[in-house]
Amino acid sequence: MMGGGEPYTALEESLLSGEAAARRQWEKTYLDVLGVCCSAEVALVERLLAPLDGVRAVSVVVPSRTVVVEHDPAAVSQSRIVKVLNGAGLEASVRAYGSSGVIGRWPSPYIVACGALLLASSFRWLLPPLQWLALGAACAGAPPMLLRGLAAASRLTLDINILMLIAVAGAVALKDYAEAGVIVFLFTTAEWLETLACTKASAGMSSLMSMIPPKAVLAETGEVVNVRDIGVGAVIAVRAGEMVPVDGVVVDGQSEVDERSLTGESYPVPKQPQSEVWAGTLNLDGYIAVRTMALAENSTVAKMESLVEEAQQSKSKTQRLIDSCARYYTPAVVVLGAGVALLPPLLGARDAERWFRLALVLLVSACPCALVLSTPVATFCALLTAARMGVLVKGGDVLESLGEIRAVAFDKTGTITRGEFSVDMFDVVGHKVQMSYLLYWISSIESKSSHPMAAALVEYAQSKSIEPKPECVAQFRILPGEGIYGEIDGKRIYVGNKRVLARGSSCQTVPERMNGLKGVSIGYVICDGDLVGVFSFSDDCRTGAAEAIRELASMGISSVLLTGDSAEAAVHAQQQLGGALEELHSELFPEDKVRLVGALKARAGPTMMVGDGMNDAPALATADVGVSMGISGSAAAMETSHATLMSSDILRVPEAVRLGRRARRTIAVNMVSSIAAKAAVLALAVAWRPVLWAAVLADVGTCLLVVLNSMLLLGEGRGRRGKEEACRATARSLEMRRSQLAAVSPDAAAKSVGKTGGDASKGCHCCHKPSKSPEHSVAIDVRAGEQRESPTAATCAPAKKVEVTGSVNGSAAPASSSGASVGCCPRETDSTEACKKMAPADLVL
């Protein structure tokens, strides 16, 4: 019986322990650990903390001297974690919420005491016994090095502390006490300066963490509650000058909100009922009541913080290569140093002291700290700079790829254009169905879609006093590149472009009225196989789209348009962008975009894809760098992309490429300087005299220079386009205000337009720059039926004709050079008026 009960007891204990683990509450603790200077200490930290009960994960961000511990506070406290790290001399402390680390920290007493004693020993020529103060200086500054070195040795880890201790011991053995003191002082001082520089660089990460206020006010009761206790659907009050605590929708009040913390654009965004607001943004000048849409831990800024943290912890290809080389470099140099110290005397060589000094120089040079730091610190600073300007880059590999981009493929709807559609025309065909029934069916089906065109149709129906009922829709399906399908009131309804017309209707005839429309998106409604309705949309181009493409061209990067709309829509886009695009590809399914992105990679080199919709997700994943349009984009696009624009400013694309190139140059300079410094010291030691303190200075000094050089990336992009960006911001704000006035009072909006000249861009006059007509090739790849045509080139110049194959406005256009003149390169285009309206000739839902 006893033997049968023991397995049962063991099973019961394992089940109880499993239940206890499931009940644990995990939290993250951020610690400033000054003793982490290179990747060698990463293994030490992990070996110290991983065995602790209640610790689930440990991650180390070397450039910012930060250790992130995920643990159960009930099992292991923050003070326990700090005590374990400080027992190894790593100088750990818990970072307070929203603090920026140890900026402004004074030197430690060890450094002060070491420096004072070393200074006093410099007067040994007056009083010889003062030379012993140099030995005292070495002993006074050595304790942190000694603790870290012993902790590393106990876990069979070879790091810079052990190598420096060997160098100090060697100098003492040679009775060169002054050199021993100089080694300790230089090493500890350089470490302190390096820590200050790294902490300064990481201040941006800390500001991300402090965006969300810890408390919020409930609008109904006025009660102040913890932001983490607010559920979805609660209504909170946000007064002027306060930060929005949780993502939500405005239900009462009007104000302007500064969204710079998320988007990098420092202009006020008007908010009114039904406007979305985001956690971490600043309410400027009014009271608003906000109904929450997400929990605090699921807010946009929380996701942004998580992405930046994961990106900083990831390693780029260059960093992985350096780390793998360093793993073999250090032991190899240590073995070489031992050989240099032992073999010459054994072989009867003279001047054994010189060989011993040379061996010590080799040992000091065995630590590749500067080389190991050359990549992660630069990557760290570049990622923070990207996040500050509203671009979330998912890791160092993506950052390096950004610097290699040679071609960019743009989606159109929601990327080049705003994706804010309005219904220009809606007609019933053949009077087979009443308008009210048709709008009810369409709005109910479109309510189940997230596409911006669907939202425009729903709003149009509501403006006609038709309320959609999505719960009445059955068999709802999205037809990628075509439209949508749904069943309601026993009717089978297709809504979409002309591909849907071919799929769902036996009638392929397009009403004559639709043939004359240009610059609009055309959609069709099929009910039980009959064409019963047609409608058209218009959409505006994003401000700065043409300028962004021109900036890419100035960097030697070609730009391509990939759209599911018609050939006419592609040509119309080219006209609105002043002929800036080099290639146009139209009438594409998602698989066509993947095929063309692959072809572009093979032909032009590393390729970026910029898109926002679910249809773009496969192409975003295929590209070397996929960039999604952040808040306005689909969840699928954000998930599959490698980088995310948190704003709608497409000018961030060339800025991100420029930042990637600058980061690659910085990494190259860091690597070359690190290797050159060690090579110079070794050459000096071999050719002239081994100087131990010079080797230490070269090692720690190069580390400091690498950090300072990388910090120059933190200023990248500041002031580059200050005046023009302010002008565009003013134009956007004026345009938003006019759209609000138009919704309330058309007369007031008309007066506003009259005062400013009728164009948002004319609210100021500092950005008007004439641009010359570009003259380069344009290729149009359009889908005709089920066939794929290879891109055909045609010269794009004023009054030139472009060869177009496929269907345009529903009528067949022959593939001949005698097609209609499209004038795709106007003679003169104002930079602020180059994008007024562009829209495809067909609808892609």
Side-chain angles (χ1 to χ4, degrees):
M1 292 296 293
M2 291 294 292
E6 290 176 0
Y8 176 79
T9 303
L11 176 62
E12 184 179 16
E13 289 177 354
S14 65
L15 289 174
L16 289 174
S17 62
E19 291 177 2
R23 288 195 301 268
R24 281 180 168 175
Q25 299 294 323
W26 303 103
E27 72 173 30
K28 283 185 178 181
T29 294
Y30 292 80
L31 302 108
D32 294 309
V33 184
L34 305 186
V36 175
C37 68
C38 67
S39 58
E41 280 84 10
V42 174
L44 175 60
V45 171
E46 291 174 347
R47 290 174 184 173
L48 288 170
L49 298 182
L52 296 179
D53 180 46
V55 172
R56 184 162 71 172
V58 178
S59 57
V60 183
V61 184
V62 174
S64 62
R65 305 291 200 272
T66 301
V67 175
V68 184
V69 183
E70 190 175 0
H71 65 106
D72 179 10
V76 55
S77 64
Q78 293 179 344
S79 59
R80 167 72 173 156
I81 295 172
V82 171
K83 185 177 180 180
V84 170
L85 293 175
N86 286 339
L90 292 175
E91 299 182 69
S93 61
V94 177
R95 179 181 297 172
Y97 179 83
S99 73
S100 56
V102 291
I103 293 178
R105 178 188 171 101
W106 290 101
S108 70
Y110 301 105
I111 299 176
V112 174
C114 179
L117 291 173
L118 190 62
L119 179 63
S121 71
S122 64
F123 295 97
R124 60 185 178 277
W125 57 277
L126 291 175
L127 189 62
L130 289 179
Q131 65 177 331
W132 295 102
L133 292 180
L135 181 59
C139 295
M145 297 167 52
L146 186 61
L147 286 175
R148 292 197 294 267
L150 291 176
S154 66
R155 288 165 176 80
L156 302 179
T157 302
L158 186 65
D159 68 356
I160 182 63
N161 296 285
I162 294 177
L163 297 176
M164 288 297 167
L165 287 172
I166 294 174
V168 172
V172 171
L174 294 172
K175 297 183 180 181
D176 195 344
Y177 306 132
E179 190 162 40
V182 168
I183 291 171
V184 173
F185 180 72
L186 287 176
F187 179 70
T188 53
T189 302
E191 265 197 334
W192 170 64
L193 293 173
E194 187 182 333
T195 299
L196 289 185
C198 286
T199 310
K200 177 69 174 176
S202 65
M205 179 62 186
S206 301
S207 66
L208 282 180
M209 297 169 61
S210 61
M211 284 180 187
I212 302 178
K215 302 290 183 179
V217 180
L218 298 179
E220 297 178 354
T221 63
E223 180 185 0
V224 179
V225 297
N226 192 304
V227 70
R228 298 186 180 276
D229 297 332
I230 299 176
V232 177
V235 180
I236 57 176
V238 185
R239 301 180 182 89
E242 294 181 346
M243 302 290 283
V244 178
V246 186
D247 293 352
V249 177
V250 177
V251 294
D252 184 32
Q254 292 187 356
S255 183
E256 289 184 329
V257 173
D258 185 355
E259 297 181 344
R260 181 179 185 177
S261 57
L262 289 182
T263 65
E265 298 177 351
S266 57
Y267 64 90
V269 180
K271 300 293 181 180
Q272 57 188 355
Q274 304 307 314
S275 297
E276 291 184 337
V277 292
W278 315 99
T281 56
L282 178 64
N283 182 20
L284 295 175
D285 57 7
Y287 169 88
I288 53 175
V290 178
R291 178 176 289 111
T292 61
M293 298 188 304
L295 300 176
E297 56 266 28
N298 297 326
S299 65
T300 302
V301 69
K303 294 177 182 176
M304 183 176 176
E305 176 193 336
S306 177
L307 285 173
V308 173
E309 183 180 308
E310 290 174 4
Q312 290 171 347
Q313 294 173 10
S314 67
K315 292 185 178 182
S316 66
K317 292 178 290 186
T318 304
Q319 185 178 349
R320 290 194 295 270
L321 177 63
I322 291 175
D323 287 348
S324 62
C325 292
R327 193 177 299 116
Y328 302 104
Y329 169 81
T330 300
V333 177
V334 169
V335 171
L336 179 62
V340 170
L342 298 176
L343 289 178
L346 292 177
L347 296 176
R350 298 179 180 179
D351 198 2
E353 180 181 340
R354 183 177 184 279
W355 289 106
F356 186 67
R357 284 183 177 276
L358 181 58
L360 292 178
V361 170
L362 282 172
L363 283 178
V364 172
S365 302
C367 187
C369 278
L371 184 62
V372 170
L373 283 176
S374 61
T375 300
V377 177
T379 300
F380 181 89
C381 294
L383 290 174
L384 284 179
T385 300
R388 185 187 295 138
M389 70 185 191
V391 182
L392 294 185
V393 180
K394 300 179 182 179
D397 278 341
V398 179
L399 186 67
E400 289 187 3
S401 297
L402 274 172
E404 300 172 346
I405 294 300
R406 292 293 176 266
V408 179
F410 289 98
D411 174 49
K412 185 179 68 60
T413 304
T415 302
I416 292 293
T417 67
R418 297 181 185 277
E420 299 171 358
F421 294 91
S422 60
V423 178
D424 290 339
M425 181 275 296
F426 198 109
D427 280 349
V428 175
V429 176
H431 304 287
K432 299 175 183 178
V433 181
Q434 292 184 14
M435 176 67 79
S436 59
Y437 281 108
L438 188 58
L439 288 176
Y440 166 68
W441 294 339
I442 292 177
S443 61
S444 298
I445 295 173
E446 295 285 3
S447 296
K448 300 175 79 70
S449 172
S450 61
H451 197 282
M453 290 182 176
L457 286 170
V458 172
E459 290 177 4
Y460 180 78
Q462 290 174 335
S463 70
K464 302 295 183 182
S465 302
I466 305 295
E467 284 300 321
K469 294 183 179 179
E471 65 274 9
C472 297
V473 177
Q475 303 295 325
F476 175 81
R477 295 200 310 272
I478 295 177
L479 308 173
E482 299 182 20
I484 60 175
Y485 168 81
E487 297 180 7
I488 183 171
D489 295 343
K491 305 290 186 181
R492 294 178 293 108
I493 308 293
Y494 287 90
V495 185
N497 56 27
K498 63 184 178 183
R499 298 191 187 111
V500 160
L501 183 66
R503 174 193 287 266
S505 174
S506 57
C507 175
Q508 303 295 319
T509 304
V510 179
E512 291 184 4
R513 178 180 175 182
M514 310 306 293
N515 291 331
L517 294 176
K518 292 184 178 180
V520 297
S521 299
I522 302 171
Y524 307 91
V525 184
I526 295 95
C527 177
D528 291 335
D530 294 325
L531 179 64
V532 295
V534 291
F535 54 89
S536 64
F537 288 113
S538 63
D539 188 14
D540 292 331
C541 177
R542 289 194 188 278
T543 303
E547 183 180 349
I549 295 171
R550 285 195 292 269
E551 283 193 23
L552 290 171
S554 68
M555 292 187 283
I557 299 173
S558 59
S559 298
V560 177
L561 183 68
L562 306 181
T563 176
D565 296 306
S566 69
E568 182 179 82
V571 173
H572 185 72
Q574 179 75 319
Q575 291 175 337
Q576 299 303 313
L577 295 173
L581 295 164
E582 295 188 14
E583 295 181 14
L584 311 175
H585 301 277
S586 60
E587 298 189 20
L588 303 175
F589 284 115
E591 58 268 26
D592 297 325
K593 292 185 179 181
V594 171
R595 173 178 59 84
L596 288 170
V597 168
L600 196 58
K601 289 169 63 176
R603 185 177 75 249
T607 298
M608 175 192 292
M609 172 71 191
V610 186
D612 75 315
M614 184 175 65
N615 291 345
D616 301 318
L620 290 172
T622 303
D624 294 285
V625 178
V627 179
S628 62
M629 298 296 289
I631 295 176
S632 63
S634 71
M638 291 185 66
E639 186 68 24
T640 57
S641 64
H642 306 99
T644 301
L645 300 184
M646 297 305 294
S647 72
S648 59
D649 187 2
I650 204 164
L651 282 164
R652 303 298 181 192
V653 172
E655 286 184 4
V657 174
R658 195 178 289 113
L659 178 63
R661 292 185 175 184
R662 177 73 185 278
R664 285 174 60 85
R665 289 196 298 270
T666 300
I667 290 171
V669 170
N670 288 346
M671 293 174 62
V672 170
S673 61
S674 302
I675 296 171
K678 288 189 180 296
V681 169
L682 291 176
L684 180 67
V686 172
W688 180 56
R689 177 173 177 266
V691 183
L692 196 53
W693 65 264
V696 175
L697 181 61
D699 186 79
V700 295
T702 307
C703 286
L704 183 59
L705 289 177
V706 162
V707 173
L708 294 176
N709 183 49
S710 299
M711 286 180 63
L712 295 176
L713 289 168
L714 295 174
E716 178 73 10
R718 289 185 182 179
R720 185 182 296 279
R721 298 176 291 108
K723 185 178 180 181
E724 295 182 10
E725 191 171 77
C727 177
R728 283 194 299 272
T730 304
R732 292 192 199 100
S733 187
L734 289 171
E735 188 174 352
M736 290 179 185
R737 289 185 174 277
R738 275 197 291 274
S739 64
Q740 289 183 348
L741 287 172
V744 177
S745 171
D747 295 336
K751 290 180 180 179
S752 175
V753 171
K755 288 179 181 179
T756 58
D759 190 358
S761 65
K762 295 179 183 178
C764 57
H765 305 281
C766 59
C767 290
H768 292 183
K769 296 178 182 178
S771 61
K772 296 182 180 180
S773 305
E775 298 187 5
H776 51 259
S777 296
V778 173
I780 301 178
D781 187 7
V782 296
R783 183 178 182 272
E786 294 297 322
Q787 297 179 348
R788 299 286 188 274
E789 298 291 336
S790 60
T792 56
T795 302
C796 181
K800 295 286 186 180
K801 301 176 188 278
V802 177
E803 178 177 339
V804 180
T805 61
S807 81
V808 178
N809 279 341
S811 59
S816 69
S817 60
S818 59
S821 173
V822 298
C824 62
C825 299
R827 293 181 181 276
E828 192 167 6
T829 304
D830 187 273
S831 64
T832 58
E833 297 184 13
C835 297
K836 285 185 179 177
K837 283 193 175 184
M838 75 175 267
D842 282 313
L843 171 67
V844 178
L845 292 180

